Amino acid sequence: CERGYKIIGDPLITCEENGSWKGNVPECIFVDCHNPPPIINGTVILSTNFTYFGATALYECNENFKLEGVSRRLCSEDGTWGNDSPICVEITCPSFNVSENLLVNAGKRLVGDIAKFSCTKGRILIGNDTRTCLSNGRWSGNKIPICKPVECERPNDVENGRVIVINEITTYGGSAEYHCIPNYNRIG
């Protein structure tokens, strides 16, 4: 058979001693790949509305899904669709690589999900506290916030006394002591 056709029946007949041919004459029919398989969360479109040899099937994914695999398949001479069926996978944004002091709750990281940042106790957030997962699989914004220690600065001096900042630490968790000069008592 010519290209694009397949033989149905016995391709070989034999000339018998009586001068006749033994066997049935086969026929050539169009190669038909039949409808390509559907994909979950996507669609398949026949570009020519035919499923014969040379036909093209185009695959597309629904919104918020991306195609993994080949988007175009051809009906082959052997009656099968070339390449494997692609799949549609839900778009997700990557997880964040954050420091031990920065906390993030990003849900499932699907399109539209909002990542909410916060800090551990004694730290303050610098930067935006939210980012949104976009349809391109990336987070909105371009900088991850940071957490800095809460700074109390040096405590006010006291009249007739002095203040001692222990280990000169004025960040969260640090402490200071007030002492009165002789003949004065501390109140409070």
Side-chain angles (χ1 to χ4, degrees):
C1 295
E2 291 186 29
R3 188 171 183 188
Y5 292 82
K6 66 180 178 181
I7 196 163
I8 301 296
D10 194 349
L12 181 67
I13 57 174
T14 310
C15 179
E16 299 289 310
E17 58 185 57
N18 64 3
S20 65
W21 291 98
K22 181 179 178 189
N24 295 324
V25 176
E27 65 177 307
C28 292
I29 62 167
F30 260 139
V31 170
D32 188 356
C33 290
H34 304 287
N35 284 325
I39 56 173
I40 297 170
N41 298 312
T43 56
V44 59
I45 301 164
L46 292 169
S47 60
T48 58
N49 287 332
F50 295 108
T51 58
Y52 299 128
F53 168 72
T56 304
L58 303 172
Y59 289 82
E60 295 176 347
C61 293
N62 298 341
E63 187 176 8
N64 298 334
F65 286 83
K66 65 181 176 182
L67 194 73
E68 286 191 357
V70 179
S71 64
R72 181 179 175 159
R73 299 177 73 193
L74 294 174
C75 178
S76 307
E77 288 183 57
D78 64 359
T80 62
W81 289 99
N83 298 316
D84 291 331
S85 285
I87 59 171
C88 292
V89 294
E90 195 160 13
I91 296 171
T92 58
C93 285
S95 56
F96 290 97
N97 184 14
V98 296
S99 70
E100 64 184 51
N101 297 312
L102 181 63
L103 308 172
V104 62
N105 180 358
K108 293 182 178 180
R109 304 186 329 266
L110 303 176
V111 173
D113 282 354
I114 295 174
K116 178 86 171 135
F117 295 93
S118 60
C119 295
T120 56
K121 189 173 183 179
R123 298 198 170 254
I124 188 165
L125 189 78
I126 307 297
N128 289 334
D129 67 342
T130 61
R131 290 179 70 188
T132 304
C133 182
L134 304 175
S135 61
N136 63 3
R138 297 176 188 253
W139 291 101
S140 63
N142 53 9
K143 278 192 166 185
I144 294 176
I146 59 171
C147 293
K148 290 194 171 185
V150 170
E151 176 62 55
C152 294
E153 299 184 4
R154 187 162 181 82
N156 293 330
D157 288 329
V158 63
E159 191 177 331
N160 299 313
R162 64 184 174 144
V163 61
I164 298 173
V165 177
I166 299 173
N167 295 324
E168 293 300 316
I169 296 173
T170 59
T171 56
Y172 173 78
S175 54
E177 291 180 355
Y178 284 96
H179 295 275
C180 297
I181 59 174
N183 300 323
Y184 286 88
N185 291 325
R186 188 176 62 214
I187 297 173

